[in-house]
Amino acid sequence: MLYVELIAQGLVQGCIYAAIALGLTLVYGLLRILHVAHAALFTLGAYIGVLTTNATGSLALAFVAAMLVSGVAGVAVFRLGYQPILNRPPFVALIASIGLYIAAEEIFRIVFGASGLSFVAAPLQSQVPIFGGLQFKQAEIAVMLGTALIIAVLAYLQNRTRIGVACQATVSDPQMAESFGVSLQMVRDINFFVGSALAAFAGVWVGLLNNLVEPTMGSVPAYKALAIIVLGGLGSVQGTLLAALTLGIIESFGTIYLGKVLDRNAIAFAFLIAVLLVRPQGMFASK
Amino acid sequence: MIGWKKTARHCAAVALAAVGLVTGPVSAQTQTKIGFNVPLTGFAAADGASALNGAKLAIAQANANGGLGGKPIELVVYDDQGIAKEAVPAVTKMIEKDGVVVGVSGSYSGSTRAAASIFQTAKIPYVTAYAIHPEITLAGDFMFRVSAMGEVQGRAGAKLVNDLGKKKVVIVTIKNDFGQALAAGFKEAAVKFGLTIQNEYEYGLPDRQFGPIASKIKADNPDIIYASGYFYTAGPLVSQLRSAGITAPIIGQEGYDSDKFIEIAGAASEGVYVTTSLDRDSDAAATKSFLTEYKKATNAGPDMVAASSYTAVAVAIEGLKKTGGKGGDALRDAIAGLTYDSPIGKLSFNDLHEVAKDVQVQIVKDKAFRRHSVISDPVLLAPPTKKK
């Protein structure tokens, strides 16, 4: 029974990692930028989520607001931050991204205060007994269902709509796609919008699970999500999903059985090193 | 042409340096300066804000009462982000550039340990508010600490478990100086009280997700849980332990001691015990006056960090009053000889400049910290003394 619980807890965490890392892998696939500031949009989403819920009492509205605001902010980050330096070597964008993240962290602290925000009446906190003494918070179950749903919707859009196909075409060969009339600008904007909205989605859930959003809440996801997309074979959506869920479960067991030797946040990197030794192209890379 | 410009620049630099030399010592003479390193940004910024409020209140009160010989006392504040590498330049600056006569740490153990040896080398007294690592006072005879050390608080935790009639304990430890010191003290005293430690789990400072630990503790089924952390880790931890269906009582320490903990953990915070140094239901005049004055000045609920920082600054001022503003050996001896009624109890320093005092046990009741009991055991709670 303990193992079942640990797997479930790992999946909850894995779903959150997945939602954060997906946006990152979309950006990497398209522009080859390691977008560290992605974690700032995750934090922004979490703040908007708490503020909207506290003001209106509606969690659904909070998700919509958080995803819209972060989505638009993500497009702004791309247009103002990355677009002007796209023709420079990739490390230029990486450094800009790290700087942007640090600045954002301090802006959150100055605007919203150092001690973070909590929900006045946090929704989805009651217990749901499953079977045999196993019980979960409503929010934990909702994270898993919500992430599965949003990924299914995205997969549908990507494979069944014109824009989705255009995005895929641009990832595999931007010049060819452009010659077929695909607007690169539009594809990049959509990419940042969707990726950032996903980060905000994860941010609101983390806020709900912890009942706390803080200026520094993005600092661990900022680098752990990078490890996840490398594990998943840089730029691969399916690989990222699998890597995120696997890491969630490994961390869940690691916290209990390796906690004294290896910090939970180091497990991701130990795992990364181990995988890269055996499969340098990433755990699930197709190429 | 270039040579001329260079010379002009050099001249300007020399002139500026000369002005600096002249004004530096003069301004230091006119006003007594107390240095204060505190994490105003970074992970500990919330505690830093409380610490600064406490320190400012102590300065404001002293200045309202005539300051030092009629002149106001100045608090020189530097942000150390709660980390050692930021604390070193910060305290070096406050010593060399600002010319502080005494330093106060409103910061965590890591940064305070780094600052301690710098103050010791400069022979400037340094009063630590709430950093609990043993190494701090071992840096030398210019070091003082107004709060109980981690080991002492850990021992008090074990006594509380025993007093509550519980035997089987699970320990959850935060992986830093603070958590390690508490766990060491707790385990040492647990042997004495015959407690069984079923398991110990560790977590890192950035962790907020404790689902796996909660699942495992549920399987351990302990009588009581001794969990260290700060309000921003303890809030999610306590709430997630209760969510998993664990009903065993939880004991926290002074890191929990903030209204923010109750806000984050919500209903799950009810009944949580906290061993700390601030008693909200105290009858002592110094504590009662601090609680009202702090609320008046900041419009926020006082916490342990604010009370300890207030006390540390007040102790420094008390010493300065004795020496008439003189620092160095005179101030060190003056502080060492003080007996001071503070919001966190009556203080006097032993030969290692640590304080011996009771540990307050608070319990969360109706969304507020209330007095549960006081652990008073001079032998168990004795701070370490100088190694002879």
Side-chain angles (χ1 to χ4, degrees), chain B residues 98-238:
Chain B
D98 301 297
V100 301
V101 289
V102 55
V104 173
S105 158
S107 194
Y108 284 26
S109 287
S111 41
T112 306
R113 278 171 76 181
S117 57
I118 300 174
F119 276 102
Q120 179 63 34
T121 313
K123 293 192 180 307
I124 294 173
Y126 187 50
V127 189
T128 297
Y130 63 93
I132 58 169
H133 198 276
E135 289 286 335
I136 295 166
T137 45
L138 291 176
D141 56 343
F142 281 85
M143 301 298 117
F144 295 88
R145 170 163 29 215
V146 299
S147 55
M149 275 180 36
E151 276 81 354
V152 174
Q153 286 189 43
R155 295 204 286 266
K159 179 154 197 308
L160 178 60
V161 170
N162 190 55
D163 290 353
L164 292 169
K166 310 285 182 190
K167 283 291 166 210
K168 290 188 299 171
V169 196
V170 161
I171 307 180
V172 183
T173 299
I174 184 164
K175 245 182 274 186
N176 65 3
D177 288 354
F178 176 67
Q180 306 292 3
L182 287 165
F186 185 91
K187 285 188 245 179
E188 178 200 322
V191 179
K192 215 170 110 184
F193 292 113
L195 309 178
T196 318
I197 294 168
Q198 291 179 296
N199 251 321
E200 182 179 5
Y201 306 102
E202 297 189 350
Y203 71 91
L205 188 67
D207 285 348
R208 304 286 184 273
Q209 280 296 313
F210 304 99
I213 293 181
S215 303
K216 185 68 173 48
I217 293 180
K218 203 166 107 188
D220 293 340
N221 192 23
D223 292 342
I224 196 159
I225 299 160
Y226 184 74
S228 60
Y230 304 99
F231 65 85
Y232 46 88
T233 59
L237 172 64
V238 167

Side-chain angles (χ1 to χ4, degrees), chain B residues 24-96:
Chain B
V26 170
S27 63
Q29 272 167 14
T30 49
Q31 221 174 19
T32 307
K33 290 181 178 175
I34 299 180
F36 190 62
N37 62 298
V38 58
L40 295 176
T41 56
F43 71 94
D47 273 338
S50 272
L52 184 60
N53 280 337
K56 278 185 172 163
L57 179 63
I59 296 280
Q61 285 180 354
N63 285 341
N65 290 326
L68 204 64
K71 284 186 190 120
I73 302 164
E74 193 192 336
L75 190 71
V76 180
V77 181
Y78 278 95
D79 179 13
D80 68 12
Q81 298 180 22
I83 45 182
K85 79 173 167 61
E86 296 295 329
V88 170
V91 302
T92 308
K93 241 180 178 170
M94 70 171 74
I95 292 171
E96 309 228 325

Side-chain angles (χ1 to χ4, degrees), chain A residues 265-278:
Chain A
N265 296 312
I267 291 173
F269 295 94
F271 184 43
L272 178 70
I273 293 167
V275 169
L276 291 185
L277 281 175
V278 190

